[in-house]
Amino acid sequence: MVAANREMVVFCFDTLVSHYNSEEVPPPAFDGAQHPLFVTWKKVINGGEPRLRGCIGTLEARCLINGFKEYALTSALRDRRFPPIQARELPSLECTVSILTDYETANHYLDWEVGKHGIIIEFSDPDYSTRRSATYLPDVAAHEGWTKVEAIDSLMRKAGYNGTITESLRKRLKLTRYQSTLFSMHYSEYVSYVKTTRGAAPAIAVIKPGAH
């Protein structure tokens, strides 16, 4: 099984830096196995708790090289919950890559463990007769301090459901649980890695005011 590693996070930083510099992305130092994956960007300000800045991925297996290249940018620039990450934010960024594994259909909506499993829910919205779905990665519920029910209810809201959440609706959910490996790195660690392996720190092109 392929596990998330340092080189995958480096490739995500490389992809974002290359985007700002309008350059080709350096080739990755890992192979192109097929796995579902997510890229998460967080911002660390004044040594405080990292705050989510973007998180997007795919629950379908993708070539890791193409997948990380795509979702490094999508999560940084096109997460609708946040404005696009600016080049000037790079020094405060932390990147986490997640590779998803061990998909299992749960027996009911409580058939998973906080801190161990990520969850995907699917259900019919009784108000609009539409199917809704959403996922939380394995670390979300534990980080938020949620119970299973709180996590499920929050995930239903994330899926776009605005109606009353009842026990009977929870029981009708289809829940898939999964596990993941992840690797995190702060921009300063990325810079150190690049200096060591390539002999020079990454440079960011400075955009002059008024330039396009």
Side-chain angles (χ1 to χ4, degrees):
M1 184 191 80
V2 176
N5 61 42
R6 175 184 289 106
E7 284 69 30
M8 294 171 186
V9 186
V10 168
F11 185 58
C12 289
F13 269 119
D14 278 345
T15 299
L16 190 56
V17 169
S18 297
H19 166 76
Y20 295 131
N21 289 340
S22 300
E23 295 174 346
E24 286 293 313
V25 183
F30 57 90
D31 65 22
Q34 301 260 343
H35 281 282
L37 59 95
F38 272 75
V39 178
T40 304
W41 297 100
K42 293 184 178 180
K43 192 171 182 177
V44 183
I45 302 172
N46 298 328
E49 184 76 12
R51 294 186 179 182
L52 186 63
R53 198 61 185 78
C55 179
I56 296 180
T58 173
L59 298 170
E60 304 291 328
R62 285 284 305 274
C63 166
L64 292 180
I65 294 172
N66 293 338
F68 282 130
K69 192 172 184 178
E70 176 181 344
Y71 288 104
L73 291 182
T74 302
S75 60
L77 307 174
R78 290 186 282 279
D79 188 326
R80 290 177 295 180
R81 297 171 292 178
F82 307 98
I85 293 174
Q86 305 292 318
R88 65 176 180 272
E89 297 179 76
L90 273 169
S92 59
L93 288 184
E94 175 185 278
C95 181
T96 299
V97 299
S98 302
I99 294 179
L100 313 187
T101 61
D102 301 303
Y103 281 56
E104 299 172 305
T105 300
N107 292 320
H108 49 81
Y109 79 91
L110 296 174
D111 185 22
W112 58 285
E113 291 182 38
V114 173
K116 178 180 180 180
H117 294 115
I119 52 175
I120 305 165
I121 61 167
E122 301 170 67
F123 62 100
S124 292
D125 186 325
D127 298 329
Y128 294 95
S129 300
T130 186
R131 295 290 292 173
R132 297 193 181 278
S133 64
T135 189
Y136 276 145
L137 295 173
D139 57 321
V140 173
H143 181 265
E144 296 292 340
W146 287 333
T147 64
K148 292 181 190 178
V149 174
E150 288 171 335
I152 291 294
D153 290 359
S154 174
L155 195 50
M156 292 177 75
R157 296 300 186 209
K158 182 183 177 185
Y161 177 64
N162 296 315
T164 302
I165 297 175
T166 62
E167 181 65 11
S168 64
L169 184 56
R170 293 189 193 106
K171 287 180 176 178
R172 293 199 299 272
L173 295 175
K174 178 192 174 188
L175 188 140
T176 302
R177 65 190 188 196
Y178 59 87
Q179 297 179 53
S180 73
T181 63
L182 50 85
F183 198 98
S184 298
M185 178 185 278
H186 189 271
Y187 181 75
S188 59
E189 298 171 284
Y190 162 71
V191 170
S192 297
Y193 177 93
V194 172
K195 278 183 183 175
T196 302
T197 58
R198 302 175 194 165
I204 309 300
V206 178
I207 300 173
K208 296 176 182 176
H212 294 284

